Amino acid sequence: MKPSFNAAAISGASLQQFRSVTDPLADQVVKAIIDSGQEKQINQILMTLVRNNSFAPGMFASLGEEISKSLDDYIAESGKLPLWADQTMIKKAERLFELYGPNIFMLLNVSSLPMCYCCGNGAQVLFDTGRLLASPDGSVDPLARRLMETGQMIINVLSKGGLSEHGTGVVTLQKVRLIHASIRFFVKQSPRVWDATTLGEPINQEDLAGTLMSFGPVILTGLKRLGVKLDDTETSAWMHTWSIVGKLLGLDDSLLPDTHQQGFQLATEVLKHQAATSDAGRALTASCVKFMNRMIPGNAFDDVPVYLMWYFLQDFSKSSGKDLATMIGIEETADIRDKLVLAIANFVNTAISREDDHDRFVCKIIATFNKVLLQGMIYHVNGGKGVQFVIPPSLQANWGLVETWKDQATTPGILGYRISLQKKSEIINN
């Protein structure tokens, strides 16, 4: 049975202690590799992990018996589901993902990630890895790669069977956990001196807990904002599933809430303790906005990401007593909604009005925005960009994203044959 979450034990002081705690299981594997003098092999190991959807004993035998055994032991231990994992509840969470996947992906970009960027110390390690920032020439491929990896992790975890024994989600989390350990090592070895006294250890337990909450209660709070009505069983199933994810990522049991309310409280306490204006948080937010705008053709939706970030941060700004949007450079302007009404009027099926309140306005534009964003991500990233973003066919069908082809032009008959020029259709059944 899962240890009960003790909300009363969560405070700034207790969270501060977790800033010096990381993940001994994964860290000791990376340390063993470094101590063996095979530091340069870490990238090879990570690439081997990324390229394989399953693990087999001895797959690292070429690195020597000691390192191979260390990795085999890690894979065996880190792949164990907690004894309290409930597959019935996991299936309910998978069903929620089937129903609301596009909303969840949108919330990842405009709510979950911005909340993480609000935590200045945690944002610094994201900034220092250099993987979330667009390159100086305007390319967003590094950012696309990182966001796609996060998106793929969510798909692998929440697709059917992802969190079963040896499931795709479990394997993905094992990889992520070892990548975290590698990042810790390399960040502390970089030319920039990592100030652990001020920043805490890279990817420490508090930062991991805050990130986990951005996938748990932050998503649930966002869905509620969108008018999705979930009962207690559904929200409990969602939180239970993400607690399993936290456990598989090496998070301490005391940082795994049981309910939406407990998760909301933990997220709030992390924000009270860590939310602060930072150059890293602002830069990451600007890159995230740029990424979304690049994914969506044209410019009609260019102001939507900023508006949605401001909108979805309001609940946690209120609970934490901090203006989170301002901390990451997001400002609400008086006329932004009026600009959006005019700009996107031709893209939505439902009439919108300047007089709509924020809740009604967001609900009206969100379905169209979600779909064009997801389709843009699929076509941009899989279109020769060096990253694969795979959504199972069943989910593509549920979300209206099935790739189909339609005739654009057909030649006259030539010896009884006709040639049709076809183009990918971005809309199912088109």
Side-chain angles (χ1 to χ4, degrees):
M1 182 176 179
K2 179 182 177 296
S4 297
F5 179 76
N6 183 5
I10 301 298
S11 65
S14 65
L15 291 172
Q16 182 61 37
Q17 293 180 345
F18 278 118
R19 298 203 65 74
S20 61
V21 182
T22 54
D23 178 9
L25 179 64
D27 289 342
Q28 69 183 7
V29 177
V30 173
K31 184 178 185 300
I33 297 169
I34 302 304
D35 290 347
S36 72
Q38 299 194 64
E39 175 183 331
K40 294 181 180 179
Q41 302 299 324
I42 290 181
N43 280 340
Q44 177 188 334
I45 292 168
L46 294 180
M47 288 305 299
T48 300
L49 291 172
V50 168
R51 290 170 180 163
N52 287 274
N53 293 323
S54 61
F55 299 133
M59 66 188 298
F60 297 101
S62 62
L63 299 176
E65 183 178 351
E66 184 178 350
I67 298 304
S68 178
K69 183 179 185 307
S70 179
L71 286 162
D72 285 348
D73 290 347
Y74 164 78
I75 290 168
E77 182 63 27
S78 64
K80 294 178 180 176
L81 287 166
L83 295 177
W84 43 264
D86 186 330
Q87 289 295 329
T88 299
M89 296 187 78
I90 292 172
K91 286 181 172 61
K92 289 180 180 178
E94 291 171 351
R95 178 57 179 162
L96 291 180
F97 190 59
E98 289 179 8
L99 292 173
Y100 305 113
N103 284 341
I104 290 167
F105 269 104
M106 181 273 300
L107 289 168
L108 169 68
N109 287 284
V110 303
S111 184
S112 301
L113 292 176
M115 198 189 88
C116 292
Y117 303 157
C118 290
C119 297
N121 291 332
Q124 190 62 53
V125 70
L126 298 177
F127 184 88
D128 282 359
T129 60
R131 301 184 72 201
L132 283 184
L133 293 178
S135 57
D137 65 0
S139 168
V140 294
D141 285 351
L143 177 66
R145 182 178 63 248
R146 184 63 182 97
L147 290 177
M148 292 308 100
E149 289 168 351
T150 302
Q152 193 67 63
M153 181 194 79
I154 293 173
I155 288 175
N156 292 350
V157 164
L158 293 172
S159 294
K160 288 183 177 179
L163 288 181
S164 60
E165 187 176 4
H166 305 305
T168 304
V170 174
V171 173
T172 300
L173 295 171
Q174 291 178 277
K175 298 176 187 179
V176 170
R177 190 170 178 179
L178 203 57
I179 289 170
H180 284 171
S182 301
I183 289 173
R184 288 189 199 101
F185 172 78
F186 285 114
V187 164
K188 296 179 78 169
Q189 299 300 313
S190 67
R192 180 188 181 278
V193 178
W194 183 264
D195 183 2
T197 302
T198 301
L199 300 173
E201 292 294 322
I203 315 182
N204 58 65
Q205 289 277 309
E206 184 185 22
D207 290 342
L208 278 173
T211 302
L212 188 71
M213 293 308 98
S214 76
F215 297 133
V218 171
I219 294 295
L220 292 175
T221 301
L223 289 175
K224 182 179 179 181
R225 276 259 184 176
L226 293 173
V228 175
K229 298 187 184 301
L230 303 177
D231 60 32
D232 290 343
T233 301
E234 290 170 318
T235 58
S236 294
W238 187 261
M239 291 299 299
H240 178 79
T241 299
W242 283 102
S243 287
I244 295 170
V245 172
K247 185 68 174 178
L248 291 173
L249 287 175
L251 206 56
D252 190 87
D253 286 343
S254 65
L255 296 173
L256 302 177
D258 299 311
T259 67
H260 181 197
Q261 182 178 0
Q262 291 173 351
F264 190 98
Q265 179 182 344
L266 176 55
T268 297
E269 292 299 325
V270 170
L271 288 169
K272 286 180 179 178
H273 188 230
Q274 286 298 314
T277 299
S278 70
D279 291 339
R282 287 173 175 261
L284 292 165
T285 302
S287 287
C288 191
V289 171
K290 186 175 182 180
F291 165 79
M292 284 187 276
N293 286 339
R294 181 69 68 89
M295 294 301 102
I296 298 176
N299 58 11
F301 286 93
D302 280 2
D303 288 318
V304 173
V306 170
Y307 180 83
L308 293 180
M309 286 180 178
W310 169 86
Y311 174 79
F312 285 108
L313 284 172
Q314 295 309 299
D315 287 313
F316 286 96
S317 287
K318 183 178 179 180
S319 67
S320 66
K322 296 187 176 185
D323 187 349
L324 301 178
T326 299
M327 287 179 176
I328 55 174
I330 299 296
E331 304 283 350
E332 183 202 15
T333 59
D335 64 343
I336 189 170
R337 187 170 52 175
D338 286 350
K339 287 171 59 180
L340 289 174
V341 168
L342 296 174
I344 68 176
N346 292 329
F347 289 87
V348 296
N349 297 322
T350 305
I352 55 179
S353 163
R354 292 182 180 87
E355 285 70 43
D356 283 336
D357 61 28
H358 288 292
D359 294 344
R360 290 180 47 141
F361 179 72
V362 168
C363 288
K364 286 180 177 180
I365 68 171
I366 215 69
T368 302
F369 179 74
N370 287 353
K371 189 164 185 176
V372 294
L373 176 61
L374 249 183
Q375 288 175 329
M377 290 163 67
I378 293 169
Y379 297 140
H380 175 86
V381 176
N382 289 349
K385 305 300 180 182
V387 178
Q388 288 299 305
F389 183 52
V390 181
I391 299 178
S394 60
L395 291 180
Q396 288 198 44
N398 288 341
W399 300 346
L401 297 171
V402 172
E403 292 183 358
T404 60
W405 293 79
K406 64 179 180 179
D407 291 352
Q408 297 296 298
T410 303
T411 69
I414 302 174
L415 299 177
Y417 295 95
R418 296 177 184 272
I419 299 174
S420 293
L421 303 179
Q422 292 186 317
K423 178 183 177 183
K424 265 187 182 178
S425 170
E426 293 187 349
I427 303 175
I428 191 172
N429 298 327
N430 190 25

